[in-house]
């Protein structure tokens, strides 16, 4: 293989030799795929497979089914279809010779594929001997990095001198990062924001997401001065915002100063893991990263409002900007970053050790010896394509998946890229072009493959296919047949590759036929809901309703309903949307175009405080309400603030002549009314001399207008006294009635039922009606006295006989 590659060293020639490798099957399998089940149009035939062809010759297989026009090209020829009448598009490959590349060639390729077909192209990537190098130091300056920052100050210049051995044109840049400057990542106490290290009596820099400190420069003295000026900063949590800063250093091309012709190295130095996407939810930040540059005055401005980037987004931006990434980390975090670099193409991992210089140089040499490509398809068409990559490595190198290792200077690596079209776009767009990007990792050049989908026929064939069903016995039939014979003779005389006026006329006529079925306007014959027969649309039948119209663009079921009426009864359904009658608009034709329902009597629209939407006023702010936004209870002062003004007018007897005496006390916009009808802004009440005076407030041209009701509601003192006495008397009488009822109830319960004597069983045998006449009780009293002279007193108390008066 390698000797053959050396023989055809020209990449373009090699590309042409390997291009257009179309998948094919056996004749029998292809025939069955094309003809079963039957097809009804040329476009449907092309989608059956890469070997299916369509015959559009008039009179082909008269009386046969339309689907028999779709078959293998050899089968159609054997059945009598002329080659010039067979639609069988082939894969086309075009190389743009105007796009010249130094390292990647060819730069631009155009493929034309039909469904089921695939083509192989070859892209050559050449390794040069010496490259210009841009090296950007991205350093974690959190407090835990103090020792590593001191190390960088010592080895930074030495590393730059070593890199000059591999590049005569070296430029250096520098940037720093910590973390997002919001809680809980930092201490937001005012004393900690400007100096996070105040507890340790050390002056630290405030935490920051990313600071671009030095753009690419070849001035080593300036680089050394910048490195020595760096100080640490402080934050609270362990993970840092390295990936967030890394993305900004990648996409901010102009600010950083990345050169287009240089090899780009991004060296990230840290001693902690990095935050990943969705970690910012702890701080209430939920906006995904947009992958754009947000530097202002060299400061990352979206750190506190945008989430950390995902690894997929970071990998994409590293590829787009041709950047190699190196991670210099502590040994404790080596395993964490080892898993991460596997997801970032062109990345390498190394220790922050005293031999950091050797490790960076070795990593750079190792990256240059590996040639790898990344092939990506536009997101909108990713599922419709099949892409495979096979590397063809030079002698002495090793082949891996999509890459070659141990590639030496001035050697060329070839990549065989196969692209297959699985399906056509949903919109059946004939001119649909999808870009496939071939990006060698770390190279500032790439190749673009434009893939055009050939999913539709270039001539109007379906009308010819249905010719047998369109024939009618008319006086012009013979004349039409003569024209057909003439047209057929011309088609046999001139091949499809010859540009003739007759073919132009045929193409114009086919376009006219397609237009008559609505294809030119909507891109689909008969709006995709019918078949074009004899230059007319025959609409399909549907259980949901009726499909009708010149191009089957209307129906009576797929549009919005209002009050269970299609389009509210004020329009017709066209292509799933209501076409409203004059004077109506909206999704279901329920909104009047006129704003008459939003006008006040004075002609002001929504009181000048809103807009008319669908015949109703929508107020501009929440303070206003009402049908015409005329209400605003909170737009003027409270009722109590007008009491002094009301007192003034009452003291002058609500006289129109004396109304001007109160102008100094209240607003001059005061009026007397006997009653207020209609809607008002606010109703207020003022009490004076046992009378209630009602007044109303409203806004007139921004000023408060008072309307005082001249009919007070008064209550006399005598009326209050009578009311009080009446309440007391009623309360007393109610109490007497309740007491009488309770006494009657108690007496009734104390009487025996029916006057009978209770003769219940008495277990003691005594006559319970016996009452003793006396009751003797003995009481002993003791008194402290000598032991030989005790004293005891007995007292007998007789019980008074029953009926004897008390003495």
């Amino acid at each position: 293989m390698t000797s053959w590659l050396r023989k055809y060293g020209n990449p373009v020639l090699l590309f042409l030799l390997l291009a257009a490798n179309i998948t094919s099957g056996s004749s029998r399998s292809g025939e069955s795929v094309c003809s079963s089940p039957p097809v009804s149009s040329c476009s449907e035939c092309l989608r059956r497979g890469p070997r299916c062809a369509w015959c559009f010759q008039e009179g082909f297989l008269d009386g046969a089914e339309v689907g028999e026009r779709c078959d293998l090209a050899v089968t159609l020829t054997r059945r009598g279809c002329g080659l010039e009448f067979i639609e069988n598009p082939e894969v086309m490959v075009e190389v743009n010779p105007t796009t010249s590349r130094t390292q990647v060639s060819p730069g631009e390729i155009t493929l034309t594929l039909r469904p089921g077909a695939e083509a192989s192209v070859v892209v050559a990537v050449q390794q040069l001997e010496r490259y210009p190098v841009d090296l950007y130091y991205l350093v974690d300056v959190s407090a835990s990095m103090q020792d590593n920052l001191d190390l960088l100050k010592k080895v930074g210049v030495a590393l730059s001198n070593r890199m000059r051995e591999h590049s005569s044109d070296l430029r250096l840049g520098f940037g720093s990062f910590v973390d997002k400057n919001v809680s809980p990542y930092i201490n937001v106490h005012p004393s900690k924001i400007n100096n996070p290290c105040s507890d340790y009596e050390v002056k630290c820099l405030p935490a920051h997401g990313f600071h671009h400190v030095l753009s690419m420069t070849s001035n080593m003295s300036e680089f050394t001065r910048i490195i020595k000026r760096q100080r640490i900063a402080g934050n609270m949590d362990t993970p840092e915002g390295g990936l967030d800063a890394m993305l900004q250093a990648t996409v901010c091309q102009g600010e950083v100063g990345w050169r287009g012709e240089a090899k780009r190295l991004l060296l990230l130095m840290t001693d902690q893991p990095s935050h990943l996407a969705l970690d910012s939810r702890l701080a209430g930040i939920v906006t995904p990263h947009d992958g754009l540059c947000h530097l202002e005055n060299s400061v990352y401005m979206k750190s506190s409002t945008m989430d950390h980037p995902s690894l997929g987004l970071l990998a994409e931006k590293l590829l787009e900007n041709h950047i190699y990434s190196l991670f210099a980390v502590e040994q404790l975090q080596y395993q964490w970053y080892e898993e991460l670099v596997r997801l970032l193409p062109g990345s390498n991992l190394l220790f922050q050790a005293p031999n950091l210089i050797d490790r960076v140089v070795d990593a750079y040499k190792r990256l240059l010896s590996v040639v790898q490509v990344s092939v990506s398809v536009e997101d909108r068409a990713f599922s419709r394509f099949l892409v495979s990559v096979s590397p063809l490595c030079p002698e002495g190198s090793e082949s891996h998946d999509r890459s070659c290792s141990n590639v030496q200077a001035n050697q060329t690596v070839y990549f065989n890229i196969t692209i297959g079209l699985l399906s056509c776009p949903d919109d059946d767009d004939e001119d649909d072009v999808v870009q496939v990007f071939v990006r060698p990792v770390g190279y500032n050049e790439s190749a673009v493959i434009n893939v055009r989908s050939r999913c539709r026929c270039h001539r109007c064939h379906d009308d010819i296919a249905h010719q047998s069903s369109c024939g009618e016995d008319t006086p012009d039939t013979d004349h039409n047949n003569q024209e057909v014979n003439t047209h057929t003779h011309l088609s046999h005389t001139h091949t499809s590759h010859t540009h003739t006026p007759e073919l132009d006329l045929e193409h114009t006529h086919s376009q006219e036929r397609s237009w008559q079925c609505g294809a030119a306007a909507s891109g689909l014959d008969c709006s995709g809901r019918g078949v074009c027969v004899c230059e007319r649309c025959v609409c399909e039948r549907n259980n949901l309703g009726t499909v009708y119209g010149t191009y089957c663009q209307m129906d009576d079921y797929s549009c919005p309903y209002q009050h269970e009426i299609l389009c509210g009864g004020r329009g017709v359904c066209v292509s799933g949307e209501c076409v409203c009658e004059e004077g109506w608009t909206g999704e279901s034709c329920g909104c009047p175009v006129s704003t008459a329902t939003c006008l006040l009597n004075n002609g002001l629209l929504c009181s000048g405080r809103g807009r008319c939407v669908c015949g109703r006023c929508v107020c501009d702010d929440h303070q206003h309400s009402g049908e015409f936004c005329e209400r605003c209870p909170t737009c003027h002062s409270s009722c109590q603030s007008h009491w002094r003004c009301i007192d003034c007018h009452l003291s002058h007897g609500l006289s129109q002549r004396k109304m001007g005496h109160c102008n100094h006390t209240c607003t001059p916009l005061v009026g007397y009314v006997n009653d207020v009808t209609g809607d008002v802004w606010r109703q207020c009440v003022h009490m004076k001399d046992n009378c209630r005076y009602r007044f109303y407030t409203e806004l007139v041209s921004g000023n408060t207008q008072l309307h005082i009701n001249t009919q007070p509601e008064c209550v006399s003192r005598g009326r209050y006294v009578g009311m009080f006495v009446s309440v007391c008397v009623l309360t007393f009488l109610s109490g007497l009635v309740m007491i009488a009822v309770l006494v009657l109830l108690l007496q009734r319960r104390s009487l025996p039922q029916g006057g009978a004597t209770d003769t219940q069983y008495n277990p003691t045998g005594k006559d319970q009606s016996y009452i003793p006449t006396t009751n003797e009780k003995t009481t002993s009293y003791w008194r402290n006295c000598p032991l030989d002279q005790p004293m005891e007193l007995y007292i007998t108390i007789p019980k008074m006989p029953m009926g004897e008066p008390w003495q």
Side-chain angles (χ1 to χ4, degrees):
M1 174 64 74
T2 53
S3 61
W4 181 73
L5 291 176
R6 285 195 298 270
K7 179 178 178 180
Y8 300 101
N10 188 344
V12 178
L13 178 59
L14 180 62
F15 163 77
L16 294 175
L17 290 173
L18 293 182
N21 177 26
I22 305 175
T23 302
S24 61
S26 64
S27 175
R28 178 170 299 179
S29 62
E31 183 177 356
S32 62
V33 169
C34 297
S35 58
S36 178
V39 298
S40 60
S41 65
C42 177
S43 298
E44 185 179 355
C45 178
L46 296 185
R47 298 189 182 203
R48 286 294 178 89
R51 304 179 63 219
C52 296
W54 178 270
C55 177
F56 61 90
Q57 181 177 348
E58 297 184 33
F60 176 71
L61 299 178
D62 286 336
E65 296 290 337
V66 178
E68 295 188 22
R69 291 181 175 271
C70 181
D71 212 325
L72 300 178
V74 293
T75 303
L76 294 175
T77 303
R78 187 170 61 249
R79 292 181 177 180
C81 184
L83 292 177
E84 64 272 21
F85 298 104
I86 295 178
E87 181 82 15
N88 185 26
E90 297 180 355
V91 170
M92 296 180 60
V93 181
E94 299 176 89
V95 178
N96 188 351
T98 60
T99 56
S100 60
R101 295 286 191 271
T102 303
Q103 303 172 69
V104 181
S105 60
E108 185 177 5
I109 308 168
T110 300
L111 297 181
T112 301
L113 297 178
R114 56 182 295 182
E118 63 180 27
S120 296
V121 298
V122 174
V123 175
V125 180
Q126 185 177 8
Q127 184 73 285
L128 301 182
E129 183 175 1
R130 297 177 70 85
Y131 291 92
V133 176
D134 287 346
L135 175 59
Y136 192 82
Y137 290 85
L138 184 58
V139 182
D140 175 8
V141 294
S142 59
S144 58
M145 282 285 292
Q146 178 65 64
D147 296 338
N148 297 301
L149 188 59
D150 295 339
L151 176 64
L152 177 63
K153 294 177 181 179
K154 298 178 182 178
V155 305
V157 178
L159 174 59
S160 305
N161 294 331
R162 280 289 303 276
M163 288 295 297
R164 288 185 178 276
E165 299 176 5
H166 303 277
S167 175
S168 58
D169 187 2
L170 175 67
R171 293 189 180 183
L172 303 176
F174 184 84
S176 65
F177 69 92
V178 182
D179 208 341
K180 294 185 179 296
N181 56 345
V182 294
S183 178
Y185 308 117
I186 66 170
N187 191 335
V188 295
H189 191 276
S191 62
K192 300 290 185 180
I193 294 180
N194 294 327
N195 183 15
C197 307
S198 58
D199 291 344
Y200 306 98
E201 298 182 356
V202 177
K203 179 62 177 178
C204 290
L205 293 174
H208 51 275
F210 172 61
H211 280 180
H212 170 57
V213 181
L214 177 66
S215 298
M216 293 296 177
T217 179
S218 58
N219 189 340
M220 292 297 105
S221 299
E222 178 66 13
F223 177 77
T224 303
R225 184 182 66 84
I226 291 296
I227 291 293
K228 292 182 178 180
R229 287 177 50 191
Q230 296 307 305
R231 292 184 298 166
I232 62 171
N235 64 326
M236 294 182 64
D237 66 333
T238 298
E240 313 295 359
L243 302 186
D244 207 2
M246 191 174 177
L247 181 63
Q248 291 300 301
T250 299
V251 299
C252 297
Q253 296 282 303
E255 292 79 356
V256 173
W258 295 109
R259 291 179 293 174
E261 71 278 7
K263 284 291 183 185
R264 304 171 179 181
L265 296 181
L266 178 59
L267 176 59
L268 186 142
M269 301 181 64
T270 183
D271 63 341
Q272 299 295 344
S274 296
H275 281 295
L276 302 175
L278 302 182
D279 283 357
S280 298
R281 290 180 297 177
L282 293 173
I285 302 174
V286 297
T287 303
H289 205 292
D290 57 7
L292 302 178
C293 177
H294 297 285
L295 286 185
E296 293 184 13
N297 297 325
S298 300
V299 178
Y300 178 36
M301 302 304 296
K302 295 290 186 179
S303 176
S304 59
T305 58
M306 195 174 292
D307 192 12
H308 296 276
S310 64
L311 292 178
L313 178 61
L314 181 59
E316 178 184 349
K317 296 304 177 182
L318 289 173
L319 281 173
E320 286 182 1
N321 295 280
H322 321 294
I323 292 179
Y324 289 115
S325 56
L326 302 176
F327 292 86
V329 301
E330 294 286 352
Q331 185 173 3
L332 294 177
Q333 306 300 334
Y334 190 87
Q335 185 176 2
W336 192 91
Y337 280 94
E338 189 176 21
E339 299 293 332
L340 182 138
V341 296
R342 296 175 182 174
L343 305 175
L344 300 177
S347 298
N348 214 322
L349 183 62
L350 45 96
F351 286 119
Q352 284 187 15
N355 58 345
L356 177 63
I357 298 176
D358 296 332
R359 291 181 178 273
V360 173
V361 173
D362 292 342
Y364 173 69
K365 294 166 61 178
R366 185 164 56 253
L367 290 173
L368 289 184
S369 68
V370 177
V371 179
Q372 178 184 1
V373 296
S374 173
V375 182
S376 59
V377 184
E378 289 186 64
D379 293 340
R380 64 184 178 88
F382 177 79
S383 61
R384 298 195 291 109
F385 288 88
L386 178 65
V387 180
S388 62
V389 179
S390 177
L392 306 174
C393 302
E395 291 183 355
S397 61
E398 299 178 3
S399 176
H400 303 279
D401 183 24
R402 297 192 178 189
S403 66
C404 296
S405 59
N406 298 325
V407 179
Q408 303 302 316
N410 297 322
Q411 287 187 329
T412 302
V413 179
Y414 298 94
F415 293 92
N416 183 21
I417 301 172
T418 302
I419 302 176
L421 178 62
L422 300 178
S423 62
C424 293
D426 295 335
D427 55 0
D428 199 18
D429 186 4
E430 181 183 359
D431 297 325
D432 178 69
V433 178
V434 176
Q435 289 188 325
V436 179
F437 300 95
V438 182
R439 296 187 178 97
V441 178
Y443 285 71
N444 52 21
E445 295 180 3
S446 60
V448 179
I449 303 177
N450 301 309
V451 183
R452 186 185 304 275
S453 303
R454 180 70 181 275
C455 297
R456 301 186 64 183
C457 298
H458 284 177
R459 311 179 193 182
C460 183
H461 311 136
D462 294 342
D463 291 342
I464 302 175
H466 292 284
Q467 180 189 11
S468 59
S469 62
C470 299
E472 295 181 1
D473 295 333
T474 62
D476 298 332
T477 300
D478 296 336
H479 177 69
N480 293 337
N481 291 336
Q482 183 179 0
E483 288 184 355
V484 170
N485 293 333
T486 304
H487 171 70
T488 305
H489 174 72
L490 289 174
S491 300
H492 278 288
T493 304
H494 301 278
T495 63
S496 59
H497 300 283
T498 305
H499 182 77
T500 63
E502 289 81 4
L503 289 180
D504 287 344
L505 179 62
E506 175 191 359
H507 183 63
T508 303
H509 185 55
S510 66
Q511 286 185 337
E512 181 181 356
R513 290 174 177 173
S514 179
W515 177 84
Q516 290 176 351
C517 288
S522 63
L524 292 174
D525 286 340
C526 304
S527 304
R529 302 195 293 183
V531 180
C532 186
V533 178
C534 302
E535 303 178 5
R536 294 184 180 182
C537 286
V538 178
C539 302
E540 64 183 11
R541 296 181 180 180
N542 197 310
N543 295 330
L544 299 176
T546 303
V547 179
Y548 60 97
T550 305
Y551 308 117
C552 302
Q553 76 276 19
M554 295 184 288
D555 61 54
D556 58 358
Y557 59 86
S558 62
C559 287
Y561 285 71
Q562 185 183 36
H563 305 304
E564 300 182 358
I565 301 177
L566 186 71
C567 298
R570 307 182 188 94
V572 294
C573 188
V574 179
S575 300
E577 297 182 357
C578 288
V579 178
C580 304
E581 298 175 355
E582 185 178 359
W584 295 93
T585 185
E587 185 180 19
S588 58
C589 300
C591 297
V593 176
S594 173
T595 59
T597 56
C598 299
L599 296 176
L600 286 171
N601 295 332
N602 57 6
L604 193 61
L605 183 67
C606 297
S607 303
R609 304 184 184 93
R611 61 190 187 279
C612 190
V613 178
C614 197
R616 295 172 177 258
C617 285
V618 177
C619 304
D620 292 333
D621 58 70
H622 64 277
Q623 291 183 334
H624 295 88
S625 60
E627 183 179 358
F628 301 100
C629 301
E630 75 280 5
R631 296 178 178 272
C632 186
T634 60
C635 290
H636 52 283
S637 55
S638 62
C639 295
Q640 188 176 358
S641 62
H642 300 295
W643 285 357
R644 185 179 177 185
C645 175
I646 301 300
D647 281 334
C648 179
H649 284 274
L650 292 178
S651 63
H652 291 87
L654 299 179
S655 174
Q656 294 284 351
R657 294 185 299 102
K658 298 181 179 181
M659 184 183 297
H661 295 291
C662 297
N663 289 345
H664 65 282
T665 307
C666 55
T667 175
L669 299 178
V670 177
Y672 301 149
V673 294
N674 295 329
D675 192 9
V676 176
T677 58
D679 295 333
V680 295
W681 285 83
R682 174 180 291 180
Q683 178 177 334
C684 301
V685 177
H686 178 59
M687 297 295 299
K688 185 175 182 181
D689 298 334
N690 296 325
C691 292
R692 299 171 63 186
Y693 291 90
R694 297 184 181 274
F695 64 96
Y696 307 91
T697 64
E698 66 174 338
L699 289 180
V700 178
S701 301
N703 297 320
T704 303
Q705 170 80 55
L706 298 183
H707 301 280
I708 304 176
N709 194 338
T710 58
Q711 304 294 331
E713 301 174 5
C714 301
V715 180
S716 62
R717 290 182 181 272
R719 184 177 178 183
Y720 282 117
V721 174
M723 185 180 297
F724 175 75
V725 172
S726 300
V727 171
C728 292
V729 171
L730 290 175
T731 304
F732 178 73
L733 293 177
S734 299
L736 290 179
V737 172
M738 292 180 63
I739 292 174
V741 172
L742 290 175
V743 170
L744 290 176
L745 291 176
L746 292 175
Q747 289 179 352
R748 186 175 181 181
R749 293 184 60 183
S750 63
L751 294 176
Q753 297 292 333
T757 305
D758 189 5
T759 57
Q760 295 182 354
Y761 171 72
N762 183 11
T764 60
K766 293 183 180 181
D767 186 4
Q768 293 183 352
S769 63
Y770 168 76
I771 300 176
T773 58
T774 62
N775 185 12
E776 295 181 357
K777 184 176 182 182
T778 303
T779 304
S780 300
Y781 294 92
W782 295 84
R783 189 179 66 178
N784 293 331
C785 58
L787 297 176
D788 54 349
Q789 298 180 4
M791 179 177 291
E792 184 175 359
L793 180 63
Y794 297 91
I795 302 174
T796 299
I797 303 174
K799 187 171 183 181
M800 188 173 58
M802 191 173 180
E804 184 178 347
W806 175 261
Q807 299 293 332

